[in-house]
PDB file of all heavy atoms in Angstrom:
ATOM      1  N   VAL A 385     125.031 386.378  68.429  1.00  0.00           N
ATOM      2  CA  VAL A 385     124.149 386.041  67.313  1.00  0.00           C
ATOM      3  C   VAL A 385     122.702 386.104  67.778  1.00  0.00           C
ATOM      4  O   VAL A 385     122.417 386.077  68.987  1.00  0.00           O
ATOM      5  CB  VAL A 385     124.442 384.630  66.745  1.00  0.00           C
ATOM      6  CG1 VAL A 385     125.838 384.548  66.170  1.00  0.00           C
ATOM      7  CG2 VAL A 385     124.223 383.557  67.823  1.00  0.00           C
ATOM      8  N   ARG A 386     121.788 386.176  66.827  1.00  0.00           N
ATOM      9  CA  ARG A 386     120.371 386.174  67.169  1.00  0.00           C
ATOM     10  C   ARG A 386     119.935 384.762  67.579  1.00  0.00           C
ATOM     11  O   ARG A 386     120.541 383.769  67.155  1.00  0.00           O
ATOM     12  CB  ARG A 386     119.546 386.626  65.959  1.00  0.00           C
ATOM     13  CG  ARG A 386     119.771 388.069  65.548  1.00  0.00           C
ATOM     14  CD  ARG A 386     118.975 388.397  64.289  1.00  0.00           C
ATOM     15  NE  ARG A 386     119.430 387.592  63.167  1.00  0.00           N
ATOM     16  CZ  ARG A 386     118.652 387.205  62.154  1.00  0.00           C
ATOM     17  NH1 ARG A 386     117.379 387.525  62.143  1.00  0.00           N
ATOM     18  NH2 ARG A 386     119.156 386.491  61.167  1.00  0.00           N
ATOM     19  N   PRO A 387     118.894 384.641  68.383  1.00  0.00           N
ATOM     20  CA  PRO A 387     118.417 383.319  68.799  1.00  0.00           C
ATOM     21  C   PRO A 387     118.108 382.392  67.628  1.00  0.00           C
ATOM     22  O   PRO A 387     118.418 381.205  67.673  1.00  0.00           O
ATOM     23  CB  PRO A 387     117.159 383.643  69.603  1.00  0.00           C
ATOM     24  CG  PRO A 387     117.397 385.011  70.144  1.00  0.00           C
ATOM     25  CD  PRO A 387     118.154 385.733  69.076  1.00  0.00           C
ATOM     26  N   ILE A 388     117.505 382.926  66.575  1.00  0.00           N
ATOM     27  CA  ILE A 388     117.151 382.094  65.429  1.00  0.00           C
ATOM     28  C   ILE A 388     118.401 381.540  64.753  1.00  0.00           C
ATOM     29  O   ILE A 388     118.402 380.426  64.215  1.00  0.00           O
ATOM     30  CB  ILE A 388     116.273 382.880  64.431  1.00  0.00           C
ATOM     31  CG1 ILE A 388     115.515 381.915  63.511  1.00  0.00           C
ATOM     32  CG2 ILE A 388     117.075 383.905  63.644  1.00  0.00           C
ATOM     33  CD1 ILE A 388     114.442 382.585  62.668  1.00  0.00           C
ATOM     34  N   GLU A 389     119.491 382.290  64.813  1.00  0.00           N
ATOM     35  CA  GLU A 389     120.748 381.829  64.214  1.00  0.00           C
ATOM     36  C   GLU A 389     121.397 380.741  65.061  1.00  0.00           C
ATOM     37  O   GLU A 389     121.981 379.792  64.517  1.00  0.00           O
ATOM     38  CB  GLU A 389     121.688 383.022  64.019  1.00  0.00           C
ATOM     39  CG  GLU A 389     121.173 384.000  62.973  1.00  0.00           C
ATOM     40  CD  GLU A 389     121.875 385.351  63.018  1.00  0.00           C
ATOM     41  OE1 GLU A 389     122.608 385.636  63.997  1.00  0.00           O
ATOM     42  OE2 GLU A 389     121.678 386.136  62.068  1.00  0.00           O
ATOM     43  N   LEU A 390     121.295 380.875  66.385  1.00  0.00           N
ATOM     44  CA  LEU A 390     121.822 379.813  67.251  1.00  0.00           C
ATOM     45  C   LEU A 390     121.034 378.535  67.061  1.00  0.00           C
ATOM     46  O   LEU A 390     121.605 377.436  66.997  1.00  0.00           O
ATOM     47  CB  LEU A 390     121.776 380.258  68.714  1.00  0.00           C
ATOM     48  CG  LEU A 390     122.246 379.222  69.750  1.00  0.00           C
ATOM     49  CD1 LEU A 390     123.655 378.724  69.450  1.00  0.00           C
ATOM     50  CD2 LEU A 390     122.164 379.799  71.170  1.00  0.00           C
ATOM     51  N   ARG A 391     119.723 378.636  66.938  1.00  0.00           N
ATOM     52  CA  ARG A 391     118.913 377.439  66.687  1.00  0.00           C
ATOM     53  C   ARG A 391     119.296 376.810  65.345  1.00  0.00           C
ATOM     54  O   ARG A 391     119.415 375.584  65.237  1.00  0.00           O
ATOM     55  CB  ARG A 391     117.427 377.771  66.723  1.00  0.00           C
ATOM     56  CG  ARG A 391     116.561 376.524  66.496  1.00  0.00           C
ATOM     57  CD  ARG A 391     115.081 376.792  66.580  1.00  0.00           C
ATOM     58  NE  ARG A 391     114.329 375.604  66.239  1.00  0.00           N
ATOM     59  CZ  ARG A 391     113.608 374.874  67.089  1.00  0.00           C
ATOM     60  NH1 ARG A 391     113.560 375.223  68.363  1.00  0.00           N
ATOM     61  NH2 ARG A 391     112.963 373.802  66.675  1.00  0.00           N
ATOM     62  N   PHE A 392     119.489 377.632  64.328  1.00  0.00           N
ATOM     63  CA  PHE A 392     119.886 377.115  63.016  1.00  0.00           C
ATOM     64  C   PHE A 392     121.205 376.358  63.116  1.00  0.00           C
ATOM     65  O   PHE A 392     121.368 375.283  62.522  1.00  0.00           O
ATOM     66  CB  PHE A 392     120.002 378.260  62.020  1.00  0.00           C
ATOM     67  CG  PHE A 392     120.406 377.834  60.632  1.00  0.00           C
ATOM     68  CD1 PHE A 392     119.531 377.118  59.821  1.00  0.00           C
ATOM     69  CD2 PHE A 392     121.663 378.137  60.127  1.00  0.00           C
ATOM     70  CE1 PHE A 392     119.900 376.719  58.547  1.00  0.00           C
ATOM     71  CE2 PHE A 392     122.053 377.745  58.865  1.00  0.00           C
ATOM     72  CZ  PHE A 392     121.163 377.034  58.060  1.00  0.00           C
ATOM     73  N   TYR A 393     122.142 376.898  63.864  1.00  0.00           N
ATOM     74  CA  TYR A 393     123.436 376.245  64.074  1.00  0.00           C
ATOM     75  C   TYR A 393     123.251 374.855  64.667  1.00  0.00           C
ATOM     76  O   TYR A 393     123.906 373.890  64.255  1.00  0.00           O
ATOM     77  CB  TYR A 393     124.280 377.126  64.992  1.00  0.00           C
ATOM     78  CG  TYR A 393     125.556 376.512  65.514  1.00  0.00           C
ATOM     79  CD1 TYR A 393     126.667 376.353  64.695  1.00  0.00           C
ATOM     80  CD2 TYR A 393     125.655 376.112  66.850  1.00  0.00           C
ATOM     81  CE1 TYR A 393     127.843 375.809  65.184  1.00  0.00           C
ATOM     82  CE2 TYR A 393     126.830 375.573  67.350  1.00  0.00           C
ATOM     83  CZ  TYR A 393     127.915 375.420  66.506  1.00  0.00           C
ATOM     84  OH  TYR A 393     129.088 374.879  66.994  1.00  0.00           O
ATOM     85  N   MET A 394     122.343 374.727  65.633  1.00  0.00           N
ATOM     86  CA  MET A 394     122.103 373.433  66.274  1.00  0.00           C
ATOM     87  C   MET A 394     121.347 372.478  65.356  1.00  0.00           C
ATOM     88  O   MET A 394     121.661 371.284  65.288  1.00  0.00           O
ATOM     89  CB  MET A 394     121.320 373.639  67.568  1.00  0.00           C
ATOM     90  CG  MET A 394     122.084 374.362  68.655  1.00  0.00           C
ATOM     91  SD  MET A 394     121.117 374.453  70.186  1.00  0.00           S
ATOM     92  CE  MET A 394     122.296 375.238  71.280  1.00  0.00           C
ATOM     93  N   VAL A 395     120.357 373.006  64.652  1.00  0.00           N
ATOM     94  CA  VAL A 395     119.509 372.147  63.822  1.00  0.00           C
ATOM     95  C   VAL A 395     120.262 371.636  62.602  1.00  0.00           C
ATOM     96  O   VAL A 395     120.002 370.522  62.121  1.00  0.00           O
ATOM     97  CB  VAL A 395     118.246 372.929  63.401  1.00  0.00           C
ATOM     98  CG1 VAL A 395     117.491 372.221  62.289  1.00  0.00           C
ATOM     99  CG2 VAL A 395     117.327 373.127  64.609  1.00  0.00           C
ATOM    100  N   ALA A 396     121.202 372.413  62.085  1.00  0.00           N
ATOM    101  CA  ALA A 396     121.885 372.040  60.851  1.00  0.00           C
ATOM    102  C   ALA A 396     122.732 370.779  61.004  1.00  0.00           C
ATOM    103  O   ALA A 396     123.059 370.123  60.013  1.00  0.00           O
ATOM    104  CB  ALA A 396     122.752 373.202  60.366  1.00  0.00           C
TER     105      ALA A 396
END
Side-chain angles (χ1 to χ4, degrees):
V385 297
R386 294 176 297 150
I388 200 170
E389 293 165 348
L390 178 55
R391 181 178 175 110
F392 180 70
Y393 170 74
M394 293 184 176
V395 167

